[in-house]
Amino acid sequence: MDRVKSSIQQVPNPIPKGLIRRTGANSLEVEKENFERSQAVSINKAINTQEVAVKEKHARTCILGTHHEKGAHTFWAAVNRLPLSSNAVLCWKFCHVFHKLLRDGHPNVIKDSMRNKADLNDMSRMWGHLSEGYGKLCSIYLKLLITKMEFHIKNPRFPGNLQMTDRQLDEAGENDVNNFFQMTVEMFDYLECELNLFLGVFSSLDMSRSVSVTAAGQCRLAPLIQVILDCSHLYDYTVKLLFKLHSCLPAETLQGHRDRFQEQFRKLKSLFYRSSNLQYFKRLIQIPQLPENPPNFLRASALSEHISPVVVIPLEASSPESEHVVETEDLVDTDIPAQPSSVENKFDDIFGTSSASDPFNFNSQNGMYKDDKDRLIEQLTRELKTLKEELESFRAESARLCQALRGRVSELEAELAEQSHLKQQALGESEFLRAELEDLRRVKEDTEKEQRSLTEIERKAQANEQRYTKLKEKYTALVQSHADLLRKNAEVTRQMTVARAAQDEVESVRKEMQEKVKAAAEEAQQREQEQAEQLQALQGELQSSREELDSLRESMTSSQQSNEQLSSQLSALEEERTQLAETVAQKEAELTGLGAELERLQGSLTSERESGVKVAETLQNQLNEKESREQALESQLVAARWAALQGALEEAEQIIQDSLTRLEDPAHTSCTSSADYLVSRCETALDCVDRLQAARDHYLSDNTDVSEMLRSIAQFAHLLSDTIVQGSATSHMVPVEQSDSLAEDVKACGTEALVLLGQLKDKETLAAADSAKLRTALGNIKAMAEKLRPRGLELQQGELGDLVEQEMAATSAAVESAAARIEEMLSKSRAVDTGVKMEVNERILASCTDLMQAIKVLVLASKDLQRDIVESGRGAASMREFYAKNSRWTEGLISASKAVGWGATVMVDAADLVVQGQGKFEELMVCSHEIAASTAQLVAASKVKADKDSPNLARLQQASRGVTQATAGVVASTKSGKSQIEDTDTMDFSSMTLTQIKRQEMDSQVRVLELETRLQKERERLGELRKKHYELAGVAEGWGEEEGTG
């Protein structure tokens, strides 16, 4: 056997390197490779550019693939190579297949797909720019798939197909009402996306025609089956969750949930009804019908009336889609290494395995023959001593012949093993060539697909000339396809070279094998002749000594029998050699056929490559024309941007020039403005100048975006114009010297603004345009305005906050003191006065007491409301910082509280004089009205920053109404008391003469005229006082800060 192995090792190995590499591969890797190949074929068949519905068998293969690998890595690896962003139909069919995988695939599909969420979002936004066709549908579908993935990631207890029992639904919410509330909101969002896709598909179809029987219509309607399945479960779970929420929460809290559910219920019912009438769905799915009215969640017993909608999918009838698909596992696997065990078993069956019966075990056979010959020699020595030398020579010759025959058998055995090995090699090579032929056929199919893709691209390029923005993407795809064709052509050429080399090696092996067989046959024939001659010589010698060699004849008879056995073995080997030669001839015929097939495929590939090159050249020319057209359009667009920028700058110059012209207009001299408002305008203008500089820098870095520059120029022109006008209006209210200085600064600002705009208009000075001088001019205006601001109520931050508290405390103290004085006056009046005067005084003092109590309640309510305002508005700041930040509002509070305290004090003094008989009733009524006005001012100042739903604000308003009623009571009691006092002093003219009465009448007329004149003058004086009061209050409190008068 060692010689057999050595002879096998000496035989050259003609197997190609590719076959050796694949033969040694691990079985698991082979299985993985076959799985990925089959998945890629199914995915490419399911997701293509043909506007037909996805075949169920291809989608089912993809689903089984996710369960096989327990994930979606292979699916995404294949999908990422598809041009989903350039073909809407391809993206639509991808969404359909991906939806099926999310529903029926392995649970890990959702986790593996989340890493592609950003790409899906970008693709959805990209397709969302199209307003019709598959583009808009793809955008809606991608949003639905993203929402579905997010829902299942947030709620991992829900399977992809949403099939759950009531117990599982309760466990998903963990019996927590907050979880059920949030889950219901997420289901509403999920169902909203499903309904949007439903409506989008129906709105894109012409329902007046039978679109459901056309291939294009079925392509759009097919994904709605998955949508219907999802909607039925989502509707059922939403109803159950809403009943559960209504059993735990008030009905008012869930009003929004009920409104949203009723809206979705109407949409879903309408869509289910419209879908059930389509012929396409009638044979594929049984759509449930929803009830006429939505469930009444306010009635808990209505849950028992709810029937869960069930979608029934009938069994699929035999169709071309359900036929068996030939998978790649059915092909002959060339990766299985050739096993030499069959040859060794056959060898053992023929020659045996034990060392005792092995005809090539020379040691044991020599021993056997040695014993027999020794006994024969001893017998012949005893009988024929004279023939001893001849017997020895005959024994040596017989051993030599046996050794030669055994050597020949060993050689033939080695040749047999070699022929078997060559046979296995030929079989493996034949299988390899058959696999290569299959690969070539597959390459041809891919080439045909590429040819169809090129034709489709050319048609779209001719039909969509207006959409030139997408030509670059299509050109990239075309160049990639061309590169793939070139790579595939190189691969086919290499494979043909390998096949030809393998054919040459097989031919050389065949010739070498024939030569070896022929040489072995000649050598065997020559040796047989030599053996025959030697046997004849031995027989002659034996015949001369028959009597002496009887026993030797018996041994010769046994030798002849062994020779006959060897001859039969040789004939069997010769027959096997003949069979091997026939097998080699058959393999040669097969190789010849494969060579012809390779030549035919090479010719077809050459023609297809030439046609592909021509098509690529044509498309390249078209793309070159498009690029030249794009360059022309780009140059026009650049000119249009510059023209728009020039127009905006000219308009800005006109606006600023117009504002400068208005400064010289005599009508403008009557316009006034406040210094505070001018400061705010200057700050805004400075910010706008900074934004203009930033927009200029952005335009210099990217001149394709001029929108920010245009907005900044327009805002700059209006704000600078407003600053110039307000600065001039402010100069009309200040002394002459400051007015002239401010007017000069305003004009300088306008001049610098025009200079800056002029620099921006010129391309050469655009980059060097500097706004430093303009900022300086605006800074000068702002500094002048700061000097002109009123200083009457300016306080430090800490003093302003303390002053609010002090004034409110002082107001409370003044009210308390006034109430105490009124009580004291009431007790004194009761002790001194009698009759009508005591009654009048008690009534007046009682109404004043009521007014003081109402004012006290008002002040307390104002304090509570201010505390709420400070707590809600100060954030992390302190109370003092809040008062300082809102200084105008704080000063208004201080002024109002001062007025309330002062009014209370004055009214008490007037009441004291009236009670003593030295005061006037009119003074008391005026004081009451003044207090009412002061409290109204306090209420208004407190309400400015208060929340309209604040309970303290309601209390303040109620207290204000109480003050108004108490003021009316004071006025009424004062008028009543006055009339009672005047009635007691009746006029008695009975003792007067005619002359006296006439004299009194004339005196009365003079007093009436004097009083009327004084009344008129007092009214004018009152009007002037009020006017001056409002002016001083406006300057002190900044009433004109937010508006300029003109």
Side-chain angles (χ1 to χ4, degrees):
M1 291 299 293
D2 296 334
R3 292 183 60 191
V4 174
K5 293 181 180 179
S6 63
S7 62
I8 292 175
Q9 293 175 355
Q10 294 174 0
V11 178
N13 188 4
I15 302 176
K17 295 182 179 181
L19 183 60
I20 295 173
R21 183 175 62 252
R22 295 177 63 184
T23 302
N26 193 300
S27 60
L28 293 177
E29 296 178 357
V30 172
E31 181 181 357
K32 181 179 179 182
E33 181 180 355
N34 293 334
F35 167 73
E36 292 176 351
R37 187 187 303 118
S38 65
Q39 285 294 301
V41 170
S42 299
I43 291 170
N44 289 329
K45 289 182 178 180
I47 305 174
N48 52 43
T49 58
Q50 298 178 0
E51 195 174 359
V52 295
V54 177
K55 291 188 177 180
E56 188 66 26
K57 58 183 180 182
H58 301 318
R60 189 184 303 113
T61 303
C62 298
I63 293 171
L64 294 177
T66 61
H67 288 282
H68 177 76
E69 69 168 346
K70 296 180 175 58
H73 298 290
T74 303
F75 172 77
W76 281 108
V79 167
N80 288 333
R81 294 193 294 267
L82 298 176
L84 301 179
S85 298
S86 60
N87 192 300
V89 177
L90 194 70
C91 183
W92 175 255
K93 299 181 77 171
F94 155 74
C95 293
H96 185 190
V97 175
F98 184 39
H99 197 172
K100 281 179 169 287
L101 293 185
L102 293 178
R103 279 188 52 82
D104 302 327
H106 195 272
N108 290 336
V109 171
I110 299 175
K111 298 179 182 178
D112 296 341
S113 302
M114 283 300 293
R115 65 191 64 177
N116 298 280
K117 176 184 173 183
D119 296 335
L120 296 178
N121 269 321
D122 295 340
M123 198 184 305
S124 175
R125 286 194 296 269
M126 189 272 291
W127 285 118
H129 294 301
L130 300 180
S131 59
E132 59 183 8
Y134 279 100
K136 181 180 180 182
L137 296 180
C138 290
S139 176
I140 299 173
Y141 209 163
L142 288 170
K143 290 179 182 177
L144 167 60
L145 297 177
I146 294 170
T147 304
K148 181 176 180 67
M149 290 191 295
E150 292 176 347
F151 176 80
H152 289 288
I153 291 297
K154 293 180 181 177
N155 304 278
R157 295 178 182 266
F158 281 83
N161 56 8
L162 298 175
Q163 293 182 0
M164 296 180 68
T165 62
D166 294 343
R167 180 179 179 182
Q168 292 174 339
L169 184 62
D170 294 338
E171 293 175 353
E174 299 177 356
N175 292 325
D176 188 354
V177 67
N178 295 320
N179 294 339
F180 286 131
F181 191 92
Q182 181 63 27
M183 191 185 303
T184 307
V185 174
E186 294 173 357
M187 284 188 179
F188 280 146
D189 297 337
Y190 190 176
L191 185 57
E192 188 71 26
C193 293
E194 301 275 4
L195 295 176
N196 289 338
L197 180 60
F198 230 132
L199 293 172
V201 171
F202 277 158
S203 62
S204 67
L205 296 174
D206 185 3
M207 304 307 292
S208 62
R209 298 185 293 111
S210 299
V211 293
S212 63
V213 298
T214 63
Q218 292 178 2
C219 182
R220 300 193 183 194
L221 292 173
L224 295 186
I225 295 178
Q226 311 301 318
V227 175
I228 293 172
L229 293 171
D230 287 344
C231 289
S232 62
H233 292 300
L234 291 174
Y235 167 76
D236 184 31
Y237 299 155
T238 304
V239 172
K240 294 177 181 177
L241 289 178
L242 284 176
F243 274 112
K244 189 179 295 294
L245 289 175
H246 278 79
S247 63
C248 302
L249 298 176
E252 294 78 7
T253 306
L254 300 173
Q255 182 62 41
H257 280 53
R258 290 197 299 274
D259 296 340
R260 192 172 182 185
F261 172 80
Q262 290 175 0
E263 180 183 358
Q264 292 185 351
F265 173 82
R266 290 192 296 271
K267 291 181 180 178
L268 186 61
K269 178 178 175 62
S270 174
L271 292 173
F272 273 9
Y273 177 75
R274 294 174 63 184
S275 302
S276 61
N277 294 329
L278 291 178
Q279 187 65 30
Y280 175 69
F281 291 119
K282 289 183 178 179
R283 62 183 182 85
L284 295 177
I285 189 172
Q286 183 178 345
I287 302 174
Q289 296 299 324
L290 299 182
E292 187 66 24
N293 298 315
N296 185 6
F297 299 109
L298 302 178
R299 185 167 55 90
S301 60
L303 178 60
S304 60
E305 301 173 1
H306 170 66
I307 300 176
S308 300
V310 179
V311 179
V312 179
I313 300 179
L315 296 175
E316 296 181 358
S318 61
S319 63
E321 296 182 2
S322 61
E323 292 179 358
H324 175 66
V325 180
V326 179
E327 304 292 346
T328 56
E329 287 83 1
D330 298 334
L331 300 176
V332 178
D333 191 357
T334 59
D335 296 336
I336 301 176
Q339 299 293 338
S341 59
S342 60
V343 179
E344 294 178 357
N345 293 336
K346 184 176 180 181
F347 182 87
D348 294 339
D349 293 340
I350 296 175
F351 298 104
T353 57
S354 64
S355 60
S357 61
D358 188 3
F360 300 98
N361 192 344
F362 300 108
N363 294 328
S364 62
Q365 201 170 40
N366 288 338
M368 180 185 68
Y369 281 131
K370 185 175 180 181
D371 294 339
D372 294 338
K373 295 298 182 181
D374 289 339
R375 287 193 299 271
L376 182 60
I377 289 173
E378 289 175 358
Q379 183 180 358
L380 292 175
T381 301
R382 289 191 302 267
E383 295 179 357
L384 300 173
K385 293 181 181 180
T386 57
L387 299 177
K388 183 177 181 179
E389 295 179 358
E390 296 179 356
L391 289 173
E392 289 294 336
S393 61
F394 179 77
R395 185 182 61 187
E397 184 66 20
S398 176
R400 187 182 65 79
L401 291 174
C402 291
Q403 183 67 27
L405 291 174
R406 291 190 185 97
R408 177 57 184 163
V409 169
S410 299
E411 292 179 358
L412 293 175
E413 179 184 4
E415 292 178 0
L416 177 62
E418 181 180 356
Q419 294 294 332
S420 300
H421 182 69
L422 292 176
K423 178 182 177 182
Q424 293 295 330
Q425 280 187 342
L427 290 173
E429 188 173 357
S430 175
E431 295 297 335
F432 173 76
L433 292 175
R434 187 174 289 107
E436 291 295 331
L437 180 61
E438 185 66 25
D439 292 339
L440 290 174
R441 290 174 180 171
R442 191 179 298 109
V443 168
K444 181 181 178 181
E445 292 178 357
D446 294 339
T447 306
E448 293 175 355
K449 290 181 180 178
E450 294 295 335
Q451 182 66 28
R452 290 194 296 269
S453 177
L454 288 173
T455 305
E456 182 70 17
I457 292 173
E458 180 181 5
R459 183 182 64 81
K460 289 183 178 180
Q462 295 174 356
N464 299 326
E465 288 187 2
Q466 295 179 354
R467 299 179 184 178
Y468 65 90
T469 55
K470 292 187 179 180
L471 283 175
K472 292 183 180 180
E473 297 179 356
K474 293 184 179 180
Y475 173 71
T476 304
L478 186 60
V479 171
Q480 184 66 29
S481 301
H482 183 60
D484 293 339
L485 286 174
L486 293 178
R487 286 195 294 270
K488 291 178 181 178
N489 183 26
E491 182 69 18
V492 170
T493 304
R494 185 184 65 78
Q495 292 174 356
M496 290 175 60
T497 304
V498 172
R500 288 178 180 175
Q503 185 177 1
D504 295 340
E505 290 178 358
V506 170
E507 184 67 22
S508 62
V509 169
R510 183 181 63 79
K511 292 181 180 179
E512 184 180 356
M513 184 176 61
Q514 289 180 352
E515 292 176 356
K516 288 182 179 181
V517 170
K518 187 175 181 181
E522 292 176 356
E523 185 178 357
Q525 186 177 3
Q526 184 178 0
R527 291 182 179 180
E528 286 177 359
Q529 292 178 359
E530 291 177 356
Q531 289 177 359
E533 293 175 356
Q534 292 174 0
L535 287 174
Q536 289 178 1
L538 289 174
Q539 288 178 359
E541 292 177 358
L542 289 173
Q543 287 178 0
S544 61
S545 57
R546 288 180 182 175
E547 296 176 353
E548 297 176 354
L549 299 176
D550 291 336
S551 60
L552 188 57
R553 287 179 180 175
E554 295 176 356
S555 64
M556 285 298 299
T557 303
S558 62
S559 297
Q560 289 177 356
Q561 292 177 356
S562 63
N563 288 334
E564 290 177 355
Q565 292 177 357
L566 290 175
S567 299
S568 61
Q569 292 177 359
L570 287 174
S571 61
L573 291 174
E574 187 67 25
E575 291 178 356
E576 187 171 359
R577 181 184 63 79
T578 305
Q579 293 177 356
L580 288 175
E582 293 176 354
T583 303
V584 170
Q586 292 177 359
K587 297 302 177 183
E588 290 177 355
E590 292 180 0
L591 288 175
T592 303
L594 292 175
E597 182 69 17
L598 286 175
E599 291 178 357
R600 186 179 63 80
L601 289 175
Q602 185 180 8
S604 63
L605 285 175
T606 302
S607 61
E608 290 174 358
R609 185 169 61 252
E610 293 175 355
S611 62
V613 169
K614 291 179 181 179
V615 172
E617 291 177 353
T618 304
L619 291 177
Q620 182 66 35
N621 295 333
Q622 294 178 357
L623 288 175
N624 292 334
E625 294 177 359
K626 293 295 182 183
E627 288 180 355
S628 61
R629 206 176 308 166
E630 287 177 5
Q631 293 176 358
L633 291 175
E634 185 67 24
S635 61
Q636 295 177 4
L637 186 59
V638 170
R641 292 194 192 103
W642 181 250
L645 184 59
Q646 292 293 314
L649 290 170
E650 292 176 358
E651 186 67 23
E653 288 181 344
Q654 292 179 2
I655 292 173
I656 295 176
Q657 189 63 45
D658 180 66
S659 64
L660 292 174
T661 305
R662 289 174 59 186
L663 301 182
E664 306 299 332
D665 190 357
H668 181 66
T669 57
S670 62
C671 297
T672 59
S673 180
S674 66
D676 290 332
Y677 185 67
L678 180 59
V679 170
S680 66
R681 292 292 86 193
C682 290
E683 293 174 351
T684 307
L686 287 171
D687 295 339
C688 182
V689 172
D690 295 336
R691 286 196 295 273
L692 179 60
Q693 287 293 104
R696 190 276 310 270
D697 297 338
H698 178 69
Y699 177 73
L700 290 176
S701 61
D702 182 13
N703 59 0
T704 59
D705 186 8
V706 76
S707 59
E708 185 65 25
M709 191 71 174
L710 294 175
R711 287 194 295 269
S712 299
I713 290 172
Q715 189 178 18
F716 170 79
H718 288 287
L719 289 178
L720 259 293
S721 174
D722 190 23
T723 303
I724 293 170
V725 173
Q726 296 301 328
S728 177
T730 304
S731 66
H732 298 157
M733 297 180 62
V734 299
V736 177
E737 294 180 357
Q738 296 177 341
S739 174
D740 294 339
S741 176
L742 182 58
E744 291 298 327
D745 292 338
V746 167
K747 291 180 181 179
C749 177
T751 304
E752 294 298 332
L754 292 176
V755 171
L756 178 61
L757 292 175
Q759 293 176 350
L760 294 176
K761 286 176 64 177
D762 192 357
K763 289 185 178 180
E764 297 178 356
T765 59
L766 177 61
D770 189 10
S771 61
K773 294 182 179 179
L774 179 59
R775 289 195 185 93
T776 303
L778 287 172
N780 294 334
I781 297 174
K782 182 180 177 183
M784 180 62 69
E786 291 286 351
K787 294 178 181 179
L788 298 176
R789 296 178 69 178
R791 306 299 178 184
L793 292 178
E794 290 184 356
L795 297 171
Q796 298 296 327
Q797 291 185 1
E799 296 178 2
L800 190 61
D802 294 338
L803 186 58
V804 174
E805 299 296 332
Q806 293 173 6
E807 288 299 332
M808 295 302 292
T811 302
S812 300
V815 173
E816 292 287 345
S817 176
R821 286 184 61 190
I822 291 173
E823 291 292 336
E824 182 180 354
M825 287 187 292
L826 183 59
S827 60
K828 288 182 180 180
S829 175
R830 288 173 179 171
V832 176
D833 299 329
T834 59
V836 175
K837 187 175 182 180
M838 185 183 69
E839 180 183 354
V840 170
N841 291 340
E842 285 182 351
R843 188 161 57 246
I844 291 175
L845 292 177
S847 61
C848 291
T849 303
D850 294 338
L851 179 58
M852 290 298 109
Q853 294 296 329
I855 292 174
K856 183 178 179 180
V857 173
L858 178 69
V859 171
L860 293 176
S862 177
K863 284 184 178 180
D864 295 339
L865 181 60
Q866 291 173 26
R867 191 179 300 109
D868 288 348
I869 293 171
V870 173
E871 291 298 329
S872 62
R874 68 186 180 92
S878 64
M879 184 179 296
R880 290 183 176 182
E881 292 175 352
F882 177 80
Y883 280 127
K885 181 180 178 182
N886 301 274
S887 59
R888 296 302 180 193
W889 175 73
T890 305
E891 291 169 0
L893 286 177
I894 294 172
S895 176
S897 60
K898 280 184 177 180
V900 172
W902 176 81
T905 304
V906 172
M907 192 190 74
V908 171
D909 294 339
D912 190 8
L913 293 175
V914 169
V915 171
Q916 294 177 7
Q918 299 174 1
K920 298 179 181 181
F921 291 98
E922 290 79 2
E923 185 177 356
L924 185 60
M925 289 188 287
V926 169
C927 290
S928 300
H929 288 298
E930 187 65 27
I931 288 177
S934 300
T935 55
Q937 181 183 357
L938 181 62
V939 171
S942 302
K943 287 172 60 178
V944 170
K945 292 185 175 294
D947 186 6
K948 64 180 182 179
D949 297 328
S950 174
N952 288 326
L953 177 60
R955 287 178 52 203
L956 180 63
Q957 292 174 344
Q958 183 66 30
S960 175
R961 288 191 287 270
V963 170
T964 303
Q965 294 175 0
T967 303
V970 171
V971 174
S973 61
T974 303
K975 288 182 178 181
S976 176
K978 180 182 178 182
S979 62
Q980 286 182 350
I981 294 297
E982 290 176 351
D983 289 342
T984 58
D985 297 336
T986 58
M987 299 180 184
D988 187 8
F989 304 116
S990 59
S991 61
M992 296 179 64
T993 63
L994 178 62
T995 303
Q996 292 176 340
I997 291 175
K998 186 66 176 178
R999 181 69 179 217
Q1000 291 290 333
E1001 180 181 357
M1002 291 178 65
D1003 292 340
S1004 296
Q1005 289 178 355
V1006 170
R1007 283 196 298 271
V1008 168
L1009 292 175
E1010 290 176 352
L1011 291 174
E1012 287 179 352
T1013 303
R1014 288 178 61 189
L1015 177 62
Q1016 182 65 28
K1017 289 181 178 180
E1018 288 297 327
R1019 283 177 177 173
E1020 292 176 357
R1021 186 170 180 271
L1022 177 61
E1024 292 297 329
L1025 287 173
R1026 285 178 177 174
K1027 190 178 194 180
K1028 192 63 178 178
H1029 175 265
Y1030 289 146
E1031 289 179 0
L1032 293 177
V1035 172
E1037 299 182 14
W1039 291 352
E1041 181 179 355
E1042 297 181 357
E1043 61 179 358
T1045 59

